[in-house]
Amino acid sequence: MKRILFTLSAFCIGCLAFSQSKDHNKISTPSVINKNPKTLFDPTPFAFSHAITHDGEGQYVFISGQSGGEDLKHSLSEDFRTQVRYSLKNLQTVLAEYGLGVKDVLKITILIVDHDQEKLKIWTEEMHKTWGKHTFPASTLIPVPKLALDHMMIEVDAIAFSKK
C-alpha cells in the first residue's frame, strides 16, 4: 500500500511540475492587452479601457464606445454631425494604436440618442466618408434615450481583427 501511495504521490508531483513549466511543446498562453491612446481622455477613472485585445493566432481588438468628444476634456458639440465625425475619428485613433484601420473592423455598434431618420442619414453619410471603398463591418444601431454623459448624442463601439 505504501508503494502505491508513493507512486501516486510521485505521479501527482510530476503532473504539478509539468503544469508549472514554461514550455508545453511551445504552446503559448494568450494574453490580454489594453490600449488607452494618450491623445484621448483617460478612461480608467470611469472603469473601462478604450480598447482591449486577446492576443493569440490573430488579434481581436475590442474597442469601447467612442463618443463625439473633441479633446482631452471630452468637449461635446451641440451638433449631431460633429459628434458623429468625432466618434468615428476617435474610433480610428484607437484602431491606429494597433496599426489597424477601418478595413479591419468586423463589427460596429452605434447608440444614438433620440434616433430618427435625419440622424440615420447623417450617420450613413459620415460612415461612407470614413470607410471609403472598404467593406462595411457588421453593424447594430440601437436607439437610446440617454448615454453616459449629458449632451452625448452618439457612442460607437467596435470589434476589429488583425492577423499576425
Side-chain angles (χ1 to χ4, degrees):
M1 181 71 159
K2 287 183 182 180
R3 179 181 245 174
I4 292 172
L5 287 175
F6 177 77
T7 304
L8 185 57
S9 295
F11 176 75
C12 290
I13 290 171
C15 289
L16 180 62
F18 177 76
S19 71
Q20 299 300 311
S21 73
K22 299 285 185 205
D23 186 359
H24 296 261
N25 296 324
K26 303 286 183 191
I27 296 173
S28 64
T29 304
S31 61
V32 174
I33 302 164
N34 73 338
K35 296 263 184 166
N36 290 312
K38 299 283 187 221
T39 56
L40 296 177
F41 76 99
D42 179 9
T44 54
F46 306 100
F48 73 96
S49 294
H50 281 296
I52 192 162
T53 186
H54 185 265
D55 194 8
E57 283 299 311
Q59 194 173 55
Y60 285 98
V61 180
F62 298 88
I63 302 171
S64 293
Q66 298 300 307
S67 74
E70 298 180 34
D71 51 30
L72 294 176
K73 292 183 179 180
H74 201 259
S75 300
L76 294 164
S77 170
E78 293 182 17
D79 177 61
F80 180 71
R81 184 178 298 274
T82 301
Q83 284 199 27
V84 169
R85 286 179 179 157
Y86 274 96
S87 67
L88 291 168
K89 180 181 178 200
N90 294 340
L91 175 63
Q92 290 175 293
T93 298
V94 177
L95 288 167
E97 284 287 309
Y98 292 91
L100 302 174
V102 296
K103 69 182 181 354
D104 302 302
V105 174
L106 302 176
K107 170 76 169 84
I108 195 167
T109 303
I110 309 99
L111 305 172
I112 296 178
V113 173
D114 298 328
H115 173 68
D116 60 23
Q117 292 306 300
E118 181 60 27
K119 288 180 178 177
L120 179 59
K121 179 179 180 248
I122 291 168
W123 168 255
T124 303
E125 290 169 357
E126 296 303 322
M127 272 292 286
H128 280 278
K129 289 177 190 174
T130 302
W131 251 254
K133 295 185 187 255
H134 298 295
T135 302
F136 291 111
S139 176
T140 302
L141 189 153
I142 304 171
V144 296
K146 185 169 175 59
L147 288 167
L149 300 174
D150 290 340
H151 310 297
M152 275 179 66
M153 293 184 241
I154 187 166
E155 188 169 1
V156 180
D157 75 27
I159 301 170
F161 186 79
S162 173
K163 294 178 184 177
K164 289 277 177 169

